[in-house]
Every structure is written in C-alpha cells, then in structure tokens.
C-alpha cells in the first residue's frame, strides 16, 4: 500500500511539474503611431504562468521600435501555433 501511494505521489508530482513547465504562447494586437500601423503577432511568453495578464507584461516589455500593445487575444500551448502562423506573418515569434 505504501509503495502504491509513493508511486502515485511521484506520478502526480511529475505531471504537475510538466504542466508548469509547458511552453506558453500568446497572440496579440499592437499599434504604432505616426503613421498609424497595426499588427497581429504571436509570441512565446515562456513557461509557467500562462495567463493573459502575465503575457501582457512580457509582450509589452519585448515590443520595440515604438510598438504599443493593444490587447492579448489569447494564451495557448504549442498546439495552437500552426493555425496562427499564416495570420501573424512577419510577426510570428518575432519578439
């Protein structure tokens, strides 16, 4: 019985560690003024806290050249990359 509980605990710990370490991506919209330009992009926001709020902080910190984050559309795992690649164009994993 004790061995079964230890095995279960080990499996549960590994599963949680895997979930916490999973890659996280976000798709977002950004703008640049004078002249007004808009872009849609996809960015890797790292492992761990995969929330829109955490992603917004990461994205705003990485955007350069006068780009301003307008919104985080969604956060997702690697399984969502292929369907967004064409739409993001040159801003696919750029920052």
């Amino acid at each position: 019985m004790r061995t079964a509980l230890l095995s279960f605990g080990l499996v549960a710990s590994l599963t949680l560690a895997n979930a916490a370490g999973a890659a996280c991506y976000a798709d977002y919209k950004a703008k640049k003024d004078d002249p007004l330009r808009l872009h849609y992009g996809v960015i890797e926001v790292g492992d761990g806290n995969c929330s829109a709020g955490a992603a917004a902080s990461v994205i705003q910190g990485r955007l350069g050249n006068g780009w301003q984050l307008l919104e985080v559309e969604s956060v997702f795992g690697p399984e969502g990359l292929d369907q967004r690649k064409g739409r993001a164009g040159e801003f696919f994993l750029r920052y």
Side-chain angles (χ1 to χ4, degrees), residues 23-36:
C24 178
Y25 300 86
D27 56 348
Y28 66 92
K29 292 180 181 176
K31 75 170 188 161
K32 190 175 193 179
D33 291 323
D34 204 18
L36 178 63

Side-chain angles (χ1 to χ4, degrees), residues 40 81-90 92:
Y40 165 83
L81 288 174
D82 286 340
Q83 69 191 39
R84 293 169 173 90
K85 187 174 185 175
R87 185 172 167 216
E90 70 177 285
F92 182 77

Side-chain angles (χ1 to χ4, degrees), residues 49-94:
N49 188 1
C50 196
S51 69
S57 296
V58 170
I59 295 167
Q60 189 58 58
R62 287 195 203 158
L63 289 176
N65 302 323
W67 288 105
Q68 177 186 354
L69 178 66
L70 293 174
E71 73 173 308
V72 174
E73 288 196 344
S74 63
V75 291
F76 53 92
E79 67 283 348
L81 288 174
D82 286 340
Q83 69 191 39
R84 293 169 173 90
K85 187 174 185 175
R87 185 172 167 216
E90 70 177 285
F91 295 102
F92 182 77
L93 302 179
R94 181 175 181 172

